[in-house]
Amino acid sequence: MKYFKYLLIVAVAAMTMTSCSSDDPDSQSIFPTGSGVENEFDQWIRKNYTEPYNIKVLYRYVDYETDNTYNVIPADVDKVKALAIIMKHIWLDAYTEVLGPDFLRLYSPRIFQFLGSGEYNSNGSVVLGTAEGGLKITLFRVNAMDLDNILIDDVSPFPNTGATPLDLNYWFFHTMHHEFCHILTQHKNYSTDFQLVSSSKYRAGDWINVKDEEAPLQGFVSGYASGEYNEDFAEIYSTYVTHTDAAWEQILKAGEKGDDKSGREAIETKLGIMKNYFLTSWGFDLDDLRDVVLRRTHEVENLDLRTLN
């Protein structure tokens, strides 16, 4: 299931190749393919991702693992290393702290793929991440990270998607929780009561015209959530666990207009259904997970993102 968010395209990078004086093709690939011998990062991945969680990490460009309808570029290795360290701390370790190691061994995607650029669509949207059959999550725009200015914004309810430095919460961690939510609900479905709350408000392909700031008036936490109920569910989940109480309250307040609080009430009703689902179907309190995610998010500033331990 692909995860789209509205973003104006301000530039398109083109890759060009020049030929050598010889007409014979160069046998050396421009993409690193690996020699079969583990480097230091491969060993770190095996120790921290593969052995504890059965997760394979693809950070070298693998042509058949990408969607060839888009032009994408390989991810910068140093930036992948930093993102992998952060991911382990605030995503993998957060779920493990709340639910124990067996949970991710059973339900985590089996492959994480990192690509350097985004997948841009003709309608002005950009793919933030993809989850394929619950097996693989792909994250894009890794090369836009600034290792000297790490930003994980958990206080802005409606993030500035074009801001610099890149907001890792919006581009990566919100996306990961969103896609993982889809995986969990594919294993155990949630109550149909959820889809009835906003059944008359969903806008299918027209969601791109719903601004995030205006979506709460219709009962949605983002414009993307207004597309259909499965995306609505995953957007509430990922928004709630990655944002503070103050940020969440701002979203709810945006669902009020004078005496009309129907937008706020719809979001609160859906969140209540969601909390009950995770408690009864998966055995954890969503607020417990949120507390751990936010605490670990604030701990990132103390992590060494250039050293593999």
Side-chain angles (χ1 to χ4, degrees):
M1 184 173 299
K2 290 200 173 182
Y3 177 33
F4 299 97
K5 278 277 194 173
Y6 175 71
L7 184 70
L8 291 178
I9 302 174
V10 296
V12 177
M15 293 180 62
T16 59
M17 296 179 61
T18 56
S19 62
C20 300
S21 56
S22 170
D23 290 334
D24 295 328
D26 189 345
S27 62
Q28 181 69 36
S29 172
I30 65 170
F31 301 117
T33 58
S35 61
V37 178
E38 287 189 342
N39 59 34
E40 182 187 18
F41 187 34
D42 295 324
Q43 294 170 357
W44 185 90
I45 289 171
R46 177 165 50 81
K47 177 183 176 182
N48 292 279
Y49 279 73
T50 308
E51 291 176 356
Y53 301 116
N54 297 319
I55 294 172
K56 179 179 181 180
V57 175
L58 299 178
Y59 67 94
R60 300 179 178 93
Y61 184 87
V62 182
D63 184 67
Y64 63 83
E65 292 283 358
T66 64
D67 185 342
N68 291 321
T69 60
Y70 297 93
N71 291 320
V72 293
I73 63 175
D76 179 274
V77 175
D78 288 336
K79 293 180 179 181
V80 175
K81 289 179 182 177
L83 184 55
I85 291 170
I86 300 173
M87 278 177 54
K88 178 182 182 301
H89 188 75
I90 72 174
W91 200 82
L92 293 174
D93 290 352
Y95 280 99
T96 298
E97 182 177 335
V98 175
L99 292 155
D102 290 339
F103 179 77
L104 286 180
R105 287 177 189 150
L106 289 171
Y107 299 110
S108 173
R110 294 296 153 235
I111 299 173
F112 286 140
Q113 178 175 234
F114 300 94
L115 292 173
S117 58
E119 290 184 344
Y120 298 92
N121 298 293
S122 59
N123 67 354
S125 63
V126 58
V127 181
L128 296 190
T130 63
E132 300 176 22
L135 298 176
K136 181 174 77 171
I137 285 182
T138 300
L139 296 176
F140 303 90
R141 294 199 73 207
V142 173
N143 291 357
M145 288 178 60
D146 182 350
L147 298 188
D148 295 316
N149 294 282
I150 296 297
L151 173 64
I152 307 176
D153 185 356
D154 60 359
V155 298
S156 301
F158 309 113
N160 180 355
T161 60
T164 55
L166 195 73
D167 176 12
L168 305 192
N169 213 23
Y170 174 79
W171 287 101
F172 299 129
F173 299 113
H174 177 103
T175 302
M176 290 177 64
H177 287 290
H178 178 109
E179 297 296 357
F180 190 48
C181 182
H182 282 313
I183 291 171
L184 295 180
T185 57
Q186 286 165 10
H187 281 285
K188 300 178 182 181
N189 203 0
Y190 52 91
S191 171
T192 55
D193 290 344
F194 181 93
Q195 57 190 273
L196 298 177
V197 177
S198 299
S199 59
S200 64
K201 305 266 187 187
Y202 292 116
R203 302 172 63 114
D206 191 41
W207 66 264
I208 197 170
N209 294 315
V210 181
K211 295 180 180 179
D212 288 343
E213 296 86 348
E214 299 172 356
L217 281 174
Q218 301 298 315
F220 304 107
V221 298
S222 69
Y224 186 61
S226 69
E228 55 97 18
Y229 62 85
N230 284 315
E231 301 305 335
D232 190 8
F233 192 95
E235 276 290 272
I236 293 175
Y237 177 86
S238 54
T239 301
Y240 188 73
V241 300
T242 59
H243 286 83
T244 64
D245 282 334
W248 184 255
E249 179 59 27
Q250 287 183 65
I251 292 174
L252 295 179
K253 289 295 289 183
E256 302 177 9
K257 188 173 183 180
D259 294 333
D260 182 4
K261 298 184 179 181
S262 58
R264 179 188 185 115
E265 291 167 354
I267 295 172
E268 291 179 322
T269 298
K270 288 183 284 190
L271 177 63
I273 294 171
M274 176 179 296
K275 286 184 174 182
N276 183 66
Y277 162 76
F278 282 106
L279 188 61
T280 58
S281 296
W282 294 101
F284 73 92
D285 188 322
L286 193 60
D287 286 313
D288 290 343
L289 176 64
R290 184 194 197 203
D291 289 343
V292 172
V293 168
L294 294 178
R295 170 174 55 78
R296 287 181 168 274
T297 295
H298 297 159
E299 293 169 352
V300 168
E301 63 184 51
N302 298 317
L303 297 180
D304 182 351
L305 301 181
R306 290 182 167 85
T307 303
L308 298 172
N309 296 315

